[in-house]
Amino acid sequence: MATFHFGAKDAYRSQFQSKLRQSPFFWNLFYTVLEDNGDGWLQSPQEEAPMQSGINIVPLTITGDTISVDLKGLSNDSNAGWRACIVMVDQAGNEHYSDLFDSGERMTVSANGAVSAYLTVTGTPKDLYDINAFHKDNVSSYKTGTERQRYPYAVKLTGAQVQQSGGYSKGSGHIHANGGGWVADSASVADSVYVGPDAMVLGNATLTGNVRVEDHAIVANSVTASNQVIISGHAVVDGGGMIYDNGWVFGSVTLSGNALIGDSAVVSNSCKVSGNAKILQKAFLAEAVTVSDNAVIKGNAYLYGKGSYSGQAIVDGDYSNEQTKNSGVGFGWLDDYGWHDTEDGILAGYTFTEQTDTWAQDTYAATNALQQGAQWESQRTSANGVLSFDGADDYVMLDDTVIRSKDLQISLAALWKGGTAKQNLFWFGDETAYMAFTPCNENGVAELTITDGQTTEHLTASAPLVKGEWSKITIRIIDGKGTLLINGSQAASNRLSLTPLAVMSAARDDYAFLGKGMTDRNFKGAVDYMNFYFKEVEEPQLTYSGSEAVDNTDPGVSGIRGGRKRRRTVQYCGSGYDAEVSDPGWHAD
C-alpha cells in the first residue's frame, strides 16, 4: 500500500502524484506522522491509529545502514493485534519488504541500495469483528463500539527518522526576519507575523497582525490570516480552488481572532475559522465550511459544503457531514444518531470511573489519555474510581490539545500522600515554557507556575495541600485573571499576562503530563477526576471524607542499584529541614 504495489501500480502512482501536484495537502491526509512523547517511543496519534484492517503509512528518512523498529501496542482491548512491515524502495523503484512483525517484536532490515523507506502498521485484532461501515452511533458507538475502535501503537526507531512534511516546495522566496521561516516572494507577511524556522508561507497568502506559523506548518495560496491566529504542528492551510456558492466562484480561506489550526489538520478552499475556534488533530475542512466561537473540530472529521459549527460544538472521531451545530459532540458518517449532549464549557474530561490499564477515557469526546504506569483503583477513601501514582515513574500522557486555549479552567481532585517538596501534580509544556502545579513548593505552599521562558508568573497559596486527604483544586486563567481555588476557597488570585495557549505556543515540545514534570519530582498520591473548560464554570459537586496514612518516604531511593551512589539534598514538605538521601542515579566505578 505504501507504494501502491498492486496490479495497476503505475496508474495508481500516476494518479497519486497528480493529486499531490494539484492539492499538495493530500500528503497530510495520506501519511501518518508519529508523535514524540519524550519517553524514547514515537506514538501513533490516537485519532489516526488504524481500525481493524486499516493501515498507517509512515514515511521515513533513511539515516543509517540498517533500519530497526520495535513495536509496542497500546490498547485496553485484550483482543487487540497489529502487523507491521518495513518497506524499502531502491533506485529503480523496486520494493523490498521485511517480514511482518507484531507488538513486542523488533524488525531489522538493511538499507543498502534503498532511496526511500516506509513503515506500515495494520490493525489486526486476534478475532476479527463483523464490520458494517454504515452502522450508526446508536448501533455501534464510535467511543465504545468494538468494530469502530482504533489500535494505537508506539515504535522505537533506529537508522531512520519520521519524515515531517511533504507535498510542498519552497520556490522563490526569502527567510522571514521574525522567526527564520520561509516566505514566498509572492506572499505578503507583516513584520509582526512569526514564521518559525521549519514553517512556510507560500503562494499569495496574506498574513497580518500577530499571526504565528509554527513548527512544520504550511500556509499556501489564497489565504488571509489576521489578529492572533496560530497555525502550528504539521497543519496546512491552503486556500483557493473553485467552489459552488450560488454559482462557481474562486475560494479563499479566512482565519481571524484567536483561531488555532494545529496538529495535522487541513483547512482548504474557502473555509472560514474565527473567534476561539480550533481545528485540530487530523480534521479536514473543505469547500465553504464556517467554524466560529469556541467550536472544536478534531479527530478524523471531514467537514464540507456550507456546514456551520459555532458556540461550543465539538466534532470528533469519524464525523463526516454538512450540518449546522452550536453545542454537543458529534461522531459518524451522515449519522443522525451521532450527536450527543455535553457539559457546559467542556474541552475534555476524565472521571476515571471505568477500569482501564492503557487509556483513560474522555467523558464526552474521544481525546483519551495514555496511562504510563498510573494504576486504576476502584476506591481510595471515599473516592470511587481513581488513578494512583507511586511518585517514582507513574504518570499519564494527556493530549496537548486540551491545554491549547486562551482561557482555561482546570478542575481536579487529588489526594497527596506527602514526601518531597516540588512534586509535579501536572506539567504542560517543556523545560523552558510550561504551566505546572505542585502541592508544596520549596517554601512549603501549593503553587501554580506559568512561564513562556521569558516571563514567569505564579498563583501561590498560603499553605500546602493537606497530606493524606482529597483536595479539590480549580485553576482559572480567564481574561487575564488567574485564580486558584482549593476545596472551594480562594487560595490565590492576581492578574496574569500569560495564557495557556501562549505558553504551549512558546514551548518547543508540547508535553502534557499528569503526575510528573520535566524535573525528577513526580507526584505521589491519586487523582479522582480532571476536567478542562474554555470558560469559568462551577466545580464538580463532589465531597470527600476519610484519610490515608501520610507517606513521607522518597520513592526515588527505594531501589538503589549497584555502583557508586551520588548524594543529593531533598526537602520534605512541612518537615522544616533538608535531608541528604541517596540518588537513584549511579555511576559505575
Side-chain angles (χ1 to χ4, degrees):
M1 183 65 186
T3 61
F4 303 102
H5 194 180
F6 310 126
K9 178 172 68 174
D10 291 341
Y12 279 111
R13 285 182 175 177
S14 175
Q15 182 64 27
F16 182 65
Q17 292 303 320
S18 175
K19 191 68 174 178
L20 281 181
R21 286 191 297 271
Q22 178 184 357
S23 302
F25 58 78
F26 269 86
W27 192 95
N28 262 37
L29 303 178
F30 187 78
Y31 293 110
T32 296
V33 177
L34 303 180
E35 299 174 335
D36 184 354
N37 283 339
D39 60 355
W41 292 84
L42 302 175
Q43 181 190 318
S44 63
Q46 57 180 296
E47 70 278 359
E48 294 187 56
M51 293 181 175
Q52 176 176 294
S53 301
I55 302 175
N56 280 174
I57 302 172
V58 182
L60 303 177
T61 300
I62 301 170
T63 60
D65 295 331
T66 61
I67 296 177
S68 294
V69 178
D70 294 273
L71 179 66
K72 176 173 66 174
L74 301 171
S75 177
N76 288 331
D77 182 11
S78 60
N79 188 48
W82 298 261
R83 291 295 184 274
C85 179
I86 304 172
V87 183
M88 314 293 290
V89 183
D90 63 23
Q91 187 70 45
N94 299 313
E95 297 87 353
H96 306 273
Y97 300 93
S98 75
D99 292 335
L100 296 177
F101 57 106
D102 198 353
S103 177
E105 297 179 343
R106 168 182 286 189
M107 181 58 60
T108 300
V109 297
S110 171
N112 290 335
V115 295
S116 61
Y118 305 87
L119 171 67
T120 64
V121 183
T122 303
T124 57
K126 299 166 188 173
D127 296 319
L128 297 180
Y129 298 110
D130 290 333
I131 292 179
N132 183 339
F134 300 100
H135 269 170
K136 303 305 181 184
D137 217 59
N138 62 328
V139 176
S140 180
S141 162
Y142 179 84
K143 285 173 61 65
T144 61
T146 54
E147 67 182 62
R148 295 171 73 181
Q149 67 180 305
R150 296 185 179 275
Y151 298 97
Y153 59 90
V155 303
K156 278 189 177 179
L157 188 62
T158 57
Q161 297 176 344
V162 176
Q163 186 177 333
Q164 296 297 307
S165 61
Y168 292 87
S169 57
K170 289 183 175 180
S172 176
H174 56 275
I175 299 297
H176 188 59
N178 186 4
W182 187 259
V183 173
D185 290 336
S186 55
S188 176
V189 179
D191 293 342
S192 57
V193 171
Y194 174 85
V195 182
D198 296 314
M200 294 192 292
V201 181
L202 307 174
N204 60 334
T206 299
L207 279 60
T208 60
N210 296 312
V211 170
R212 294 180 63 88
V213 187
E214 303 171 353
D215 308 316
H216 297 273
I218 297 170
V219 180
N221 301 316
S222 186
V223 176
T224 300
S226 59
N227 306 127
Q228 287 77 45
V229 166
I230 296 176
I231 306 104
S232 64
H234 299 86
V236 175
V237 180
D238 190 334
M242 301 302 293
I243 64 165
Y244 191 82
D245 187 5
N246 297 320
W248 290 101
V249 297
F250 190 79
S252 180
V253 168
T254 303
L255 309 177
S256 62
N258 298 303
L260 170 62
I261 319 297
D263 302 318
S264 292
V266 173
V267 178
S268 66
N269 296 140
S270 196
C271 296
K272 293 178 173 58
V273 186
S274 63
N276 297 309
K278 302 177 182 67
I279 317 299
L280 303 169
Q281 297 180 341
K282 200 76 165 186
F284 176 29
L285 273 60
E287 299 176 351
V289 172
T290 299
V291 186
S292 60
D293 301 328
N294 291 285
V296 179
I297 314 300
K298 57 182 178 176
N300 266 299
Y302 171 40
L303 280 59
Y304 55 86
K306 293 185 179 180
S308 177
Y309 304 84
S310 60
Q312 50 185 303
I314 300 174
V315 172
D316 202 351
D318 56 355
Y319 179 94
S320 179
N321 217 325
E322 177 186 11
Q323 294 180 297
T324 297
K325 295 290 184 179
N326 62 13
S327 64
V329 58
F331 305 93
W333 302 351
L334 302 173
D335 191 348
D336 293 335
Y337 300 97
W339 210 264
H340 308 278
D341 293 336
T342 61
E343 187 177 346
D344 185 35
I346 197 74
L347 291 170
Y350 307 92
T351 61
F352 311 124
T353 54
E354 296 183 8
Q355 181 174 356
T356 56
D357 56 17
T358 306
W359 291 96
Q361 303 297 302
D362 186 351
T363 305
Y364 299 105
T367 306
N368 301 325
L370 180 62
Q371 295 167 231
Q372 299 279 38
Q375 298 295 309
W376 184 87
E377 293 191 67
S378 60
Q379 190 172 38
R380 298 268 307 250
T381 71
S382 63
N384 296 316
V386 304
L387 286 186
S388 293
F389 303 82
D390 64 5
D393 53 11
D394 291 352
Y395 67 100
V396 171
M397 175 72 73
L398 296 161
D399 193 297
D400 67 274
T401 59
V402 304
I403 317 300
R404 292 181 173 274
S405 184
K406 177 178 176 289
D407 293 333
L408 184 66
Q409 174 176 316
I410 303 172
S411 292
L412 72 158
L415 186 154
W416 179 43
K417 289 287 287 184
T420 54
K422 297 192 290 186
Q423 293 179 26
N424 297 296
L425 177 54
F426 64 73
W427 187 295
F428 307 140
D430 59 15
E431 300 95 334
T432 303
Y434 59 87
M435 184 168 67
F437 182 84
T438 179
C440 178
N441 67 7
E442 64 275 15
N443 297 316
V445 296
E447 184 175 63
L448 175 84
T449 299
I450 180 169
T451 178
D452 63 358
Q454 297 181 346
T455 300
T456 300
E457 299 173 313
H458 303 278
L459 292 174
T460 306
S462 59
L465 298 188
V466 177
K467 300 175 185 178
E469 297 181 9
W470 287 101
S471 295
K472 293 175 62 176
I473 305 158
T474 286
I475 296 158
R476 294 183 180 127
I477 303 176
I478 297 174
D479 290 334
K481 181 181 179 181
T483 305
L484 171 62
L485 302 177
I486 298 178
N487 292 326
S489 297
Q490 182 173 295
S493 180
N494 51 263
R495 301 297 299 177
L496 297 177
S497 63
L498 298 174
T499 68
L501 184 59
V503 168
M504 297 304 284
S505 184
R508 182 173 181 84
D509 296 310
D510 302 329
Y511 300 131
F513 298 131
L514 172 62
K516 68 166 283 186
M518 302 303 293
T519 68
D520 62 350
R521 304 288 177 82
N522 291 353
F523 177 71
K524 182 165 57 175
V527 175
D528 184 36
Y529 65 85
M530 190 172 198
N531 296 336
F532 299 84
Y533 306 90
F534 66 80
K535 66 177 185 178
E536 179 176 337
V537 299
E538 292 293 323
E539 294 182 294
Q541 299 301 305
L542 295 172
T543 58
Y544 297 95
S545 61
S547 62
E548 294 184 357
V550 173
D551 180 2
N552 273 328
T553 60
D554 180 5
V557 301
S558 60
I560 301 299
R561 298 180 291 272
R564 186 176 72 251
K565 295 180 289 184
R566 292 182 293 166
R567 310 294 288 180
R568 67 186 173 106
T569 298
V570 297
Q571 181 182 2
Y572 288 93
C573 195
S575 65
Y577 64 92
D578 291 342
E580 190 179 62
V581 300
S582 298
D583 193 298
W586 62 281
H587 301 281
D589 290 320

